[in-house]
Amino acid sequence: MAFLHRTFLPLFLHFCLFNCSAWTKGELTTQETVEVYLGDSAQILCQYNVTDGNNQPSYFLVQWFVRPDITGSWTLIFYGDDKEQEVLDNTDYSDRINVTLDHQEAQLTIQNVQLSDNRLFICRVIEKIVGFAQGTTHLRVFAPPDAPVIKGVMTGISVTNEMPSKVASCEVRNSFPEPNITWYKNSMPLMSSAGHANVSRDPRGFFSVQSTLEYKAVREDEDAYFSCEVSFFVPGGVRTLESNSVNITVYYPSTKVEMWRESPQGLVKEGDTVELRCHGDGNPPPSFIFHRKQDQDVDLESSGHVLILSPVSRNHSGIYQCRPLDSDEYADVKGEIQLPVHYLDPAVVVPKDSEVMLKGEDLTATCNALSSLKTHTVWYKDGKQVGTGNTLHLQDATYGTTGQYHCEVSAPSFPALHSSGSVHIIVRGGPQLVGEDQEVQLEEAIGRMVNLSCEAEGSPLPSISWNIIGTQNWKEVVRKSNEYVAQSVVSVNVTSDIRALCNVSNDVGTEVKAFNIKAIPSVTTPAPFTPAKGSGVIIVVIILCLLLLAISSVLYFLYRKGIIPPGRSGNLDIISEETAINDIVIEMKNIEDNEESVDLMLINRDRNGPDDQLAIVVDE
């Protein structure tokens, strides 16, 4: 290299000093630009044609210069001809360039291209006779940037801000040449004025760009996604890289408010706890001011978006409104709800408490209760329904009319509302004997015990006393009563004609019932046949008895005719020829469980009696 330097330097100076004319023909061409990635190799071609008048190659010298731009100074980095070349020492290219040349072209190769190589390279060719020619090539170096990094604001932005607010920032590093950043909302580009870029360059020569998006948000932007795109140059074109998308928090006032009753479900009655709620479409969810429509200047005590009314009365009925605190004071943004509080007052019964009426009178009772809803009234007595409606008509009162009348008032559309009242009806009247006859005529055998019953109704409850004339041998065996009926039963021993008086009295009046008993002598008479339990068996027994009588009569007839000798009459004993059957008495006792005993007795005719008698006595 030292040898080349010593050889070419005088020749190079000779060409520089004595050949100042330029070629008149455009026979030297160079590439206008050469584009290459950082770290790659770059080839810059310089083409020319150096011949003499006989079209023979002539002697020439090729020089390569570099300059930062068109105004910068030149720096020689190479010179030489087709036989010998010299790379100058102490330049940025001393160990990174290589030149190949002949009489038609020279190619400069730059190894490991650096950012500083982004400059002008000048190829000059000097011919000793015709002068020199030169061409310039711009070597463009490209370094793709890192992926863009986007950051959205964490605090959110309000649509009420008059000036644009910072939405996000986007940063791109390690790019060459300087990249460009474009902002997008929902994949649609925003105006370039929306972003403000800050460009910096580090000591290595790389560009970093930080862009801030300032934007006047609207409420629809709460669902918008923002992103940034970096566009950068590469050999032969432009490429882009897109960042991730970010969603920002947008704050905006409410434009619509919904108000509803959270509890209770269904209709509201006095005493309930009512919870009213409001919700606005603003972000963040606003707090509210509650008031009644008729008292808009009076704010009700509430908590955020909830109003509690407890316990409610009918005075709480009305229209309630809520207004969000985030809305404009003059904006007509509010929620509204109608709150009806239903009620049913205690039932009022007329007559009140109790009412006394005379037997046979009419009475009208009413039961009413003030209510916000249509009501239904039912009347009950002793648990049984006796009427419907507000009015109960009691006509032609009897002692059975006496009692407690209960009215139930309810709202069919709201079963939880019900009320009740009652009235006690008392029917007054003098004693009234039970039964049609007030004078009873009886005939009874002497020695018999007779039961006399006296029953009367009345209010107050009548008292019963007896006055019995004709005997002292009597006693009361039954005395009972209920609310308005009294009964007394006496047992009288008939010894003679008797007159028994039942005296019934209360505060209203008196009544008397008389029993006249005619005493008759006791005689033996055939007992009347009375069918009783087991009558079928009795009939069979009677038939058997008749058969026995018939057999006895036949035997007796045969005996009188002498056909049957004495002592052969079977089970029948004959006392004498003249003896006739005076009485035959058959006693039958009907015993429980169909057990029966029958006694057949042949009773001698009463010798003092004129006639023979046959008697059948049945004793139950």
Side-chain angles (χ1 to χ4, degrees):
M1 182 63 69
F3 171 76
L4 290 176
H5 181 69
R6 288 192 300 270
T7 303
F8 280 96
L9 184 55
L11 183 59
F12 169 71
L13 294 175
H14 171 77
F15 278 106
C16 291
L17 294 174
F18 299 103
N19 294 282
C20 299
S21 60
W23 292 352
T24 57
K25 297 181 180 180
E27 296 179 352
L28 186 144
T29 59
T30 57
Q31 299 161 283
E32 184 176 354
T33 60
V34 172
E35 297 179 342
V36 64
Y37 282 111
L38 176 68
D40 287 351
S41 297
Q43 288 83 34
I44 302 176
L45 186 62
C46 180
Q47 294 179 320
Y48 47 86
N49 184 14
V50 182
T51 59
D52 57 12
N54 296 323
N55 202 26
Q56 295 294 322
S58 62
Y59 184 79
F60 67 93
L61 179 66
V62 176
Q63 297 173 322
W64 284 98
F65 297 88
V66 297
R67 61 189 304 189
D69 51 45
I70 58 175
T71 60
S73 59
W74 294 40
T75 301
L76 180 66
I77 60 173
F78 171 86
Y79 62 92
D81 56 17
D82 58 345
K83 295 180 180 177
E84 296 184 18
Q85 297 91 32
E86 177 74 17
V87 177
L88 274 69
D89 296 330
N90 301 321
T91 69
D92 293 337
Y93 303 93
S94 299
D95 54 356
R96 291 194 298 120
I97 64 172
N98 179 37
V99 179
T100 59
L101 57 82
D102 55 22
H103 285 80
Q104 293 185 343
E105 65 180 17
Q107 179 175 288
L108 173 64
T109 301
I110 306 172
Q111 306 291 334
N112 190 20
V113 173
Q114 305 297 312
L115 294 183
S116 58
D117 296 336
N118 190 82
R119 56 179 60 186
L120 300 176
F121 286 80
I122 301 128
C123 172
R124 174 179 287 183
V125 179
I126 303 173
E127 201 273 332
K128 64 180 179 176
I129 297 176
V130 298
F132 71 93
Q134 65 182 28
T136 301
T137 298
H138 185 189
L139 177 60
R140 300 186 65 185
V141 180
F142 298 94
D146 298 337
V149 178
I150 187 173
K151 293 181 180 179
V153 295
M154 302 302 294
T155 57
I157 58 176
S158 175
V159 299
T160 59
N161 293 341
E162 295 182 359
M163 300 299 294
S165 303
K166 179 180 178 181
V167 174
S169 63
C170 180
E171 185 176 14
V172 179
R173 294 182 177 183
N174 300 325
S175 178
F176 192 88
E178 178 183 336
N180 183 51
I181 292 178
T182 303
W183 286 97
Y184 288 83
K185 184 183 81 169
N186 295 333
S187 301
M188 298 296 295
L190 296 172
M191 295 177 55
S192 59
S193 60
H196 299 281
N198 181 22
V199 182
S200 61
R201 194 169 185 180
D202 63 22
R204 298 172 301 161
F206 291 101
F207 288 96
S208 292
V209 179
Q210 186 176 36
S211 177
T212 300
L213 175 62
E214 292 184 351
Y215 177 78
K216 192 169 184 356
V218 294
R219 64 178 300 148
E220 290 77 12
D221 291 330
E222 65 175 343
D223 298 321
Y225 286 88
F226 294 87
S227 62
C228 63
E229 180 187 75
V230 56
S231 57
F232 54 94
F233 294 99
V234 296
V238 178
R239 292 184 182 176
T240 59
L241 286 175
E242 188 175 356
S243 70
N244 296 326
S245 297
V246 294
N247 177 250
I248 60 173
T249 301
V250 180
Y251 300 127
Y252 48 86
S254 298
T255 58
K256 186 167 53 177
V257 173
E258 179 185 7
M259 188 175 187
W260 72 95
R261 173 162 48 88
E262 182 71 15
S263 64
Q265 300 297 319
L267 299 179
V268 178
K269 67 180 185 301
E270 286 189 320
D272 286 345
T273 296
V274 176
E275 180 178 331
L276 301 179
R277 289 178 177 262
C278 281
H279 175 73
D281 61 350
N283 187 36
S287 295
F288 291 86
I289 296 175
F290 292 84
H291 57 263
R292 298 177 71 180
K293 187 175 182 179
Q294 56 269 39
D295 299 317
Q296 295 193 10
D297 295 334
V298 179
D299 295 340
L300 302 176
E301 186 177 351
S302 60
S303 175
H305 63 287
V306 179
L307 173 64
I308 302 289
L309 302 174
S310 178
V312 293
S313 67
R314 66 194 71 183
N315 295 329
H316 286 94
S317 296
I319 298 175
Y320 287 78
Q321 295 178 336
C322 62
R323 182 170 60 83
L325 291 176
D326 65 352
S327 65
D328 190 337
E329 182 180 358
Y330 303 100
D332 189 21
V333 180
K334 61 179 178 294
E336 186 173 281
I337 188 174
Q338 176 81 36
L339 177 64
V341 179
H342 296 288
Y343 56 89
L344 178 64
D345 286 346
V348 177
V349 181
V350 177
K352 185 179 180 181
D353 297 333
S354 64
E355 179 73 8
V356 177
M357 60 186 299
L358 295 178
K359 183 182 178 183
E361 288 186 341
D362 296 340
L363 176 69
T364 298
T366 61
C367 179
N368 292 286
L370 184 64
S371 176
S372 59
L373 297 171
K374 185 177 181 180
T375 60
H376 178 66
T377 304
V378 180
W379 292 86
Y380 297 93
K381 180 177 183 288
D382 298 330
K384 296 181 179 180
Q385 182 176 326
V386 294
T388 59
N390 300 99
T391 303
L392 177 66
H393 298 285
L394 301 176
Q395 296 177 334
D396 192 15
T398 65
Y399 295 124
T401 307
T402 299
Q404 189 83 6
Y405 290 81
H406 186 77
C407 67
E408 289 282 350
V409 183
S410 62
S413 61
F414 196 177
L417 287 179
H418 55 83
S419 181
S420 63
S422 63
V423 59
H424 187 69
I425 301 298
I426 302 173
V427 179
R428 297 292 189 185
Q432 181 176 344
L433 294 169
V434 178
E436 297 181 357
D437 298 329
Q438 289 186 327
E439 188 89 15
V440 179
Q441 304 294 332
L442 297 174
E443 290 185 0
E444 293 293 342
I446 295 174
R448 290 284 302 273
M449 296 297 294
V450 177
N451 289 338
L452 304 179
S453 176
C454 184
E455 183 177 357
E457 60 180 13
S459 179
L461 182 69
S463 62
I464 299 177
S465 63
W466 291 89
N467 185 13
I468 299 177
I469 304 170
T471 183
Q472 297 295 324
N473 191 7
W474 66 276
K475 63 178 178 179
E476 188 176 37
V477 294
V478 174
R479 178 176 286 274
K480 61 182 180 179
S481 63
N482 56 23
E483 186 176 1
Y484 53 86
V485 177
Q487 183 184 23
S488 175
V489 178
V490 296
S491 182
V492 179
N493 186 5
V494 179
T495 58
S496 61
D497 291 346
I498 297 173
R499 180 174 176 81
L501 300 177
C502 174
N503 303 302
V504 183
S505 65
N506 64 7
D507 295 342
V508 181
T510 61
E511 289 287 342
V512 177
K513 185 173 184 178
F515 297 89
N516 296 312
I517 304 174
K518 181 176 178 58
I520 59 176
S522 178
V523 295
T524 303
T525 60
F529 173 74
T530 303
K533 188 175 180 181
S535 59
V537 176
I538 294 174
I539 293 173
V540 173
V541 172
I542 292 173
I543 293 173
L544 291 175
C545 291
L546 292 174
L547 289 174
L548 290 174
L549 288 174
I551 293 171
S552 299
S553 298
V554 172
L555 292 176
Y556 177 72
F557 175 77
L558 293 177
Y559 170 75
R560 291 294 300 269
K561 294 296 183 178
I563 298 174
I564 299 176
R568 300 188 61 178
S569 60
N571 293 331
L572 181 64
D573 293 333
I574 306 299
I575 299 178
S576 65
E577 273 184 20
E578 292 83 10
T579 303
I581 300 174
N582 185 29
D583 293 318
I584 300 176
V585 180
I586 302 174
E587 294 184 358
M588 293 177 288
K589 294 182 179 180
N590 185 18
I591 304 174
E592 283 295 318
D593 300 329
N594 296 325
E595 293 182 2
E596 301 173 351
S597 64
V598 180
D599 294 332
L600 299 178
M601 300 179 60
L602 296 177
I603 305 175
N604 293 329
R605 180 174 55 87
D606 189 356
R607 294 181 180 181
N608 297 324
D611 300 321
D612 295 338
Q613 294 179 347
L614 175 63
I616 301 174
V617 179
V618 180
D619 186 8
E620 267 187 78

